[in-house]
């Protein structure tokens, strides 16, 4: 069974760092496209970052230079290192993967809340 | 970056009637449903997004056939036939044709 479980969210002061993890089961992370998407409570979905099966990455302009997406293949985990956090980064962060559909992101985690506040 | 624009932003629908949501991209995403990565997701209150449609018109496993997708180029449509109470939520289009990916603003489906 395919499952994605995010962790690592919490309350952090502006300027601080957090590392989000997304543990996958039922498929191999390194073989699939995976994304991070965030959602301010009550607002829409915002693309954050993607990593392809060949390791190519891309970021939204709002996080470029501050966030880094990566994979830990030994743990079958997707990661998001978030530095220089700002109040506007406060959101629920979801990971998702394109496991069976090739272009559609068919499996999503439940999300982890990041709150940036002093 | 490709901008995805959805209309309407809110759609009140009578149970049993149909609803259509439009998604327009700022540049062409392609014309073949074999390789055009335009998808539709549903987000029910308090839930993560759920994939409904991928590659313009392909229904994901377990999605009722009341949901259908169509379109090509820059104009795409999600149609929900015979709307049920469980369809209440926000619907998003998303493209994954080139980096970076982007979402539409979302369309809130409500029962009238």
């Amino acid at each position: 069974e395919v499952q994605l479980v995010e962790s690592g969210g919490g309350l952090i002061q502006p300027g601080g760092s957090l590392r989000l993890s997304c543990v996958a089961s039922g498929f191999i992370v390194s073989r699939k496209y995976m994304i991070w998407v965030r959602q301010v409570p009550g607002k829409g979905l915002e693309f954050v970052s993607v990593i392809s099966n060949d390791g190519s990455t891309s970021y939204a302009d709002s996080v470029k230079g501050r966030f880094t997406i990566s994979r830990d293949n030994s743990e079958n985990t997707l990661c998001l290192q978030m530095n220089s956090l700002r109040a506007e980064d406060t959101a629920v962060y979801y990971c998702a993967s394109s496991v069976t559909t090739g272009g559609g992101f068919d499996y999503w985690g439940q999300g982890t809340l990041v709150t940036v506040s002093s | 970056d490709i901008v995805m624009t959805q209309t309407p932003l809110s759609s009140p629908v009578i149970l049993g009637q149909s609803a259509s949501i439009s998604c327009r991209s700022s540049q062409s995403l392609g014309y073949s449903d074999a390789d055009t990565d335009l998808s539709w997701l549903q987000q029910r209150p308090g839930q993560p997004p759920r994939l409904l449609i991928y590659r313009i018109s392909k229904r994901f496993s377990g999605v009722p056939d009341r949901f259908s997708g169509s379109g090509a180029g820059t104009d795409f449509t999600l149609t929900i036939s015979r709307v049920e109470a469980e369809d209440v939520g926000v619907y998003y289009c998303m493209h994954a044709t080139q980096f970076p990916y982007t979402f539409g603003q979302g369309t809130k489906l409500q029962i009238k």
Side-chain angles (χ1 to χ4, degrees):
Chain A
E1 180 190 5
V2 173
Q3 195 172 16
L4 295 170
V5 180
E6 301 100 334
S7 63
L11 175 63
I12 186 76
Q13 291 190 337
S17 298
L18 272 181
R19 185 176 181 83
L20 304 185
S21 296
C22 170
V23 178
S25 55
F27 71 99
I28 298 173
V29 162
S30 63
R31 295 183 182 177
K32 305 296 181 181
Y33 278 64
M34 297 197 70
I35 59 175
W36 286 99
V37 171
R38 67 186 182 184
Q39 184 172 39
V40 174
K43 302 297 184 183
L45 301 175
E46 179 188 13
F47 168 81
V48 172
S49 185
V50 58
I51 186 165
S52 71
N53 52 1
D54 69 2
S56 302
T57 60
S58 179
Y59 300 89
D61 286 345
S62 57
V63 307
K64 204 173 291 183
R66 301 187 298 123
F67 290 12
T68 303
I69 192 171
S70 62
R71 295 183 295 232
D72 181 339
N73 295 339
S74 65
E75 299 291 332
N76 207 38
T77 296
L78 176 73
C79 302
L80 185 69
Q81 178 66 41
M82 305 188 296
N83 298 332
S84 303
L85 282 161
R86 306 167 180 167
E88 54 265 36
D89 295 319
T90 295
V92 175
Y93 285 73
Y94 296 102
C95 65
S97 183
S98 180
V99 179
T100 66
T101 55
F105 286 85
D106 45 1
Y107 289 93
W108 292 71
Q110 289 296 312
T112 186
L113 176 62
V114 173
T115 304
V116 184
S117 175
S118 54
Chain B
D1 298 2
I2 296 175
V3 177
M4 307 296 285
T5 303
Q6 288 182 228
T7 55
L9 298 184
S10 178
S11 180
V13 183
I14 295 171
L15 286 173
Q17 298 297 303
S18 294
S20 288
I21 301 169
S22 173
C23 177
R24 178 165 289 178
S25 57
S26 60
Q27 60 190 93
S28 177
L29 302 183
Y31 294 88
S32 167
D33 61 6
D35 59 10
T36 299
D37 289 326
L38 183 285
S39 57
W40 291 93
L41 302 109
Q42 175 196 61
Q43 188 175 32
R44 291 171 172 151
Q47 295 294 313
R50 167 199 178 199
L51 180 67
L52 297 176
I53 303 287
Y54 65 102
R55 297 257 163 103
I56 299 177
S57 60
K58 301 181 189 305
R59 259 188 309 277
F60 182 52
S61 175
V63 174
D65 60 7
R66 301 184 292 103
F67 293 88
S68 62
S70 62
T74 61
D75 291 291
F76 304 91
T77 301
L78 174 70
T79 301
I80 310 170
S81 305
R82 306 180 304 279
V83 167
E84 299 183 2
E86 67 176 17
D87 299 335
V88 165
V90 182
Y91 292 80
Y92 297 91
C93 61
M94 172 190 173
H95 91 82
T97 53
Q98 65 181 57
F99 292 168
Y101 302 163
T102 48
F103 291 89
Q105 316 98 297
T107 296
K108 189 170 188 177
L109 185 76
Q110 303 164 296
I111 302 301
K112 195 184 293 184

